[in-house]
């Protein structure tokens, strides 16, 4: 075997545990259809653009803790971190908890959660405690996660959950080192993130991948601090997370992400804090978005004309950008359903322009809204404008998620088929 062949063979061996981005998406769908357990999916390192760039991130220590800065100039669409979760809990696992089982096995905990009881965090704590007992060296994976010291811990409010869950958590924590037992609930509270596989897609709610939604704890990406103007975007696929720059970043510039949904970023701190998983304290009254999933579901039960009348009333009272954007999207969908293609296209265009102006650069919402806008424009006889909008959506997707027309078409296939279905000439 020649030298070149040996090198290729060695590279194939190194890449054997990994897959391509297409392989990851297929594995996620297959797992969602076949299993109710938390997924363990392969990293997509066989797609070169999703391998983390070498020497791109430098961890620095601030007075307030650790942070990340760009170690060199980074173009938009640079992959910084792509990693698997240390532990994950699916929403469906929390929802399926029942009241009559007091088994402390973290995979068999059964209680009915109620709003605000931190059931997902409690279950994640139990999973991690169980993993540490089975594999003591696993504790090293948590060493760099906040809070790292007793001094950090002393400044935090107590973690809490429902009493019936607390007894299980306390029992699990009693098996750990005292210092770690005090830190672990806060490690989960301040570092666990919500995970949705394709959550920005309009077809998400009816997709099999919706079953992979939950919360998870990651190690390497915990160094990214929050900013209202983040320069790093993230996407999830099962228990895999990928962080990519959403714009060009200069050497020495802080690398930051958003800890809340991007439509909340233009709104006051109280609105962002109200939905933060780790429950930040913000000055002023909490102001949660009114057009939440429940309100959207109620709107969809109305006829198009009733929806438009209800939306008009809600628009007059909407004070948050997140609500105004969602109402514009709901209005566009209602106009489409009523058969007014021209007005629907205008509403979708308003939404995509607002998202492009107010959301972070190349945000996933921009691409998702752009696809729907392109469809509406095409049905309103604006084919050239539709192609321009679809091209812009593809460009945003290439930066925030990954490059390639095939990848874009695969991820948005179901969205393009949503009524009104994208005409063939739009996709040529």
């Amino acid at each position: 075997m020649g030298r070149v062949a040996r090198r290729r063979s060695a590279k194939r061996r190194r890449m054997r545990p990994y897959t391509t981005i297409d392989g990851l998406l297929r594995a996620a769908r297959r797992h969602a259809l076949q299993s109710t357990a938390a997924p363990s999916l392969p990293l997509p390192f066989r797609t070169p653009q999703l391998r983390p760039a070498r020497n791109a991130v430098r961890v620095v220590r601030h007075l307030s803790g650790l942070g990340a800065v760009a170690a060199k100039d980074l173009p938009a669409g640079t992959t910084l971190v792509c990693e698997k979760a240390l532990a994950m809990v699916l929403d469906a696992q929390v929802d399926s908890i029942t009241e009559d089982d007091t088994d402390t096995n973290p995979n068999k905990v059964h209680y009915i959660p109620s709003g605000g009881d931190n059931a997902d965090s409690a279950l994640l704590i139990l999973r991690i405690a169980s993993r540490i007992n089975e594999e003591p060296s696993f504790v090293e994976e948590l060493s760099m996660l906040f809070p790292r010291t007793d001094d950090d811990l002393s400044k935090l409010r107590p973690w809490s959950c429902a009493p019936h869950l607390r007894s299980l958590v306390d029992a699990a924590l009693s098996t750990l080192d005292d210092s770690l037992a005090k830190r672990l609930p806060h490690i989960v509270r301040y570092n666990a993130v919500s995970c949705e596989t394709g959550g920005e897609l309009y077809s998400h709610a009816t997709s099999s991948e919706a079953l992979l939604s939950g919360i998870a704890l990651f190690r390497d990406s915990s160094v990214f601090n929050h900013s209202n103007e983040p320069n790093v975007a993230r996407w999830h696929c099962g228990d895999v997370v990928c962080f990519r720059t959403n714009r060009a970043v200069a050497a020495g510039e802080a690398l930051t992400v958003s800890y809340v949904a991007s439509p909340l970023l233009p709104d006051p701190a109280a609105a962002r804090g109200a939905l933060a998983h780790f429950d930040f304290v913000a000055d002023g009254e909490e102001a949660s978005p009114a057009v939440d999933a429940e309100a959207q579901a109620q709107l969809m039960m109305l006829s198009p004309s009733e929806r438009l009348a209800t939306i008009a009333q809600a628009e007059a009272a909407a004070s948050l950008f997140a609500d105004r954007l969602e109402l514009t999207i709901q209005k566009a969908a209602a106009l489409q359903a009523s058969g007014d293609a021209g007005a629907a296209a205008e509403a979708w265009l308003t939404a995509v322009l607002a998202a492009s102006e107010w959301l972070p650069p190349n945000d996933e919402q921009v691409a998702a809204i752009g696809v729907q806008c392109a469809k509406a424009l095409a049905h309103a006889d604006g084919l050239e404008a539709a192609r321009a909008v679809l091209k812009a959506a593809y460009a945003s997707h290439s930066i925030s998620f990954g490059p390639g027309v095939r990848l874009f078409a695969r991820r948005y296939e179901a969205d393009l088929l949503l009524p009104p279905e994208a005409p063939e000439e739009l996709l040529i």
Side-chain angles (χ1 to χ4, degrees):
M1 184 184 294
R3 182 180 301 175
V4 173
R6 285 197 300 271
R7 287 176 179 170
R8 287 176 179 169
S9 179
K11 183 177 180 180
R12 281 195 293 270
R13 286 195 300 272
R14 289 196 304 272
M15 300 302 290
R16 193 169 293 155
Y18 306 128
T19 187
T20 62
I21 182 60
D22 279 344
L24 173 62
L25 295 175
R26 286 195 300 271
R29 177 167 295 183
R30 185 165 57 247
H31 182 92
L33 292 171
Q34 297 177 356
S35 175
T36 58
S40 180
L41 304 179
L43 289 165
F45 289 169
R46 287 188 181 178
T47 298
Q49 296 89 341
L50 297 182
R51 298 177 205 157
R54 293 186 177 182
N55 304 317
V57 180
R58 181 163 56 89
V59 178
V60 296
R61 186 176 294 277
H62 305 294
L63 291 176
S64 56
L66 300 181
V69 299
K72 57 185 178 182
D73 290 343
L74 303 173
T78 299
T79 300
L80 304 176
V81 172
C82 190
E83 64 173 331
K84 287 171 62 67
L86 298 175
M88 183 177 186
V89 171
L90 299 179
D91 290 345
Q93 293 172 325
V94 177
D95 293 341
S96 66
I97 295 172
T98 59
E99 194 172 27
D100 57 357
D101 189 344
T102 57
D103 191 335
T104 57
N105 183 321
N107 296 311
K108 298 182 181 178
V109 175
H110 299 294
Y111 279 103
I112 296 176
S114 57
D117 69 358
N118 277 334
D120 52 358
S121 296
L123 190 51
L124 192 58
I125 292 167
L126 292 170
R127 292 265 170 92
I128 296 170
S130 177
R131 176 80 180 272
I132 293 171
N133 285 318
E134 294 172 359
E135 185 184 339
S137 62
F138 181 73
V139 72
E140 297 174 8
E141 303 282 359
L142 309 176
S143 61
M144 296 304 293
L145 300 180
F146 178 86
R148 288 169 285 275
T149 66
D150 289 340
D151 184 52
D152 289 340
L153 194 61
S154 67
K155 300 172 184 175
L156 305 178
R157 291 184 300 159
W159 180 83
S160 64
C161 65
H164 56 270
L165 291 171
R166 187 64 198 231
S167 63
L168 296 176
V169 170
D170 287 345
L173 294 178
S174 69
T175 66
L176 305 179
D177 170 83
D178 185 58
S179 176
L180 178 60
K182 293 177 181 176
R183 288 176 56 228
L184 184 54
H186 295 282
I187 286 175
V188 169
R189 179 186 184 188
Y190 286 93
N191 295 278
V193 295
S194 61
C195 309
E196 286 190 333
T197 301
E200 79 280 10
L201 303 176
Y202 285 86
S203 56
H204 173 73
T206 56
S207 71
S208 57
E209 287 83 350
L211 298 172
L212 301 180
S213 299
I215 67 166
L217 186 68
F218 296 90
R219 185 191 64 182
D220 295 346
S221 51
S222 66
V223 298
F224 297 123
N225 290 321
H226 171 79
S227 171
N228 295 338
E229 297 180 356
N231 52 22
V232 176
R234 81 171 191 255
W235 55 258
H236 293 271
C237 186
D239 66 328
V240 171
V241 68
C242 188
F243 288 77
R244 291 166 60 86
T245 53
N246 62 19
R247 61 169 175 81
V249 181
E253 187 177 348
L255 294 166
T256 57
V257 298
S258 172
Y259 289 175
V260 298
S262 55
L264 284 170
L265 291 175
D267 288 322
R272 296 193 299 273
L275 294 189
H277 187 274
F278 28 75
D279 103 266
F280 279 142
V281 177
D283 293 332
E285 254 180 77
E286 287 188 352
S288 298
V291 193
D292 56 14
E294 183 178 351
Q296 293 170 36
Q298 290 174 350
L299 279 172
M300 294 305 294
M301 294 174 66
L302 303 175
S303 68
S305 59
E306 290 174 324
R307 253 190 287 168
L308 289 169
T310 303
I311 289 168
Q313 293 177 345
E315 283 179 323
S319 60
L320 300 180
F321 172 81
D323 281 338
R324 294 195 299 273
L325 178 63
E326 184 57 43
L327 287 169
T328 302
I329 292 169
Q330 292 291 332
K331 179 180 179 180
L335 288 166
Q336 279 180 332
S338 70
D340 193 340
E346 185 178 344
W348 278 116
L349 192 57
T350 299
V352 78
L353 291 174
S356 300
E357 179 179 359
W358 291 101
L359 300 186
N362 300 299
D363 188 79
E364 58 186 14
Q365 294 272 353
V366 175
I369 296 171
V371 168
Q372 297 305 310
C373 180
K375 288 167 50 180
L377 286 167
H379 281 283
D381 297 325
L383 190 57
E384 289 306 310
R387 285 174 174 163
V389 170
L390 190 63
K391 185 177 180 180
Y394 165 71
S396 286
H397 181 267
S398 296
I399 289 172
S400 62
F401 197 94
V405 173
R406 180 180 172 185
L407 174 60
F408 179 72
R410 178 181 177 84
R411 292 199 69 237
Y412 280 94
E413 179 181 10
D415 275 20
L416 289 166
L417 294 175
L418 289 174
E421 185 176 335
E424 288 186 12
E425 55 266 29
L426 173 63
L427 306 177
I428 296 175

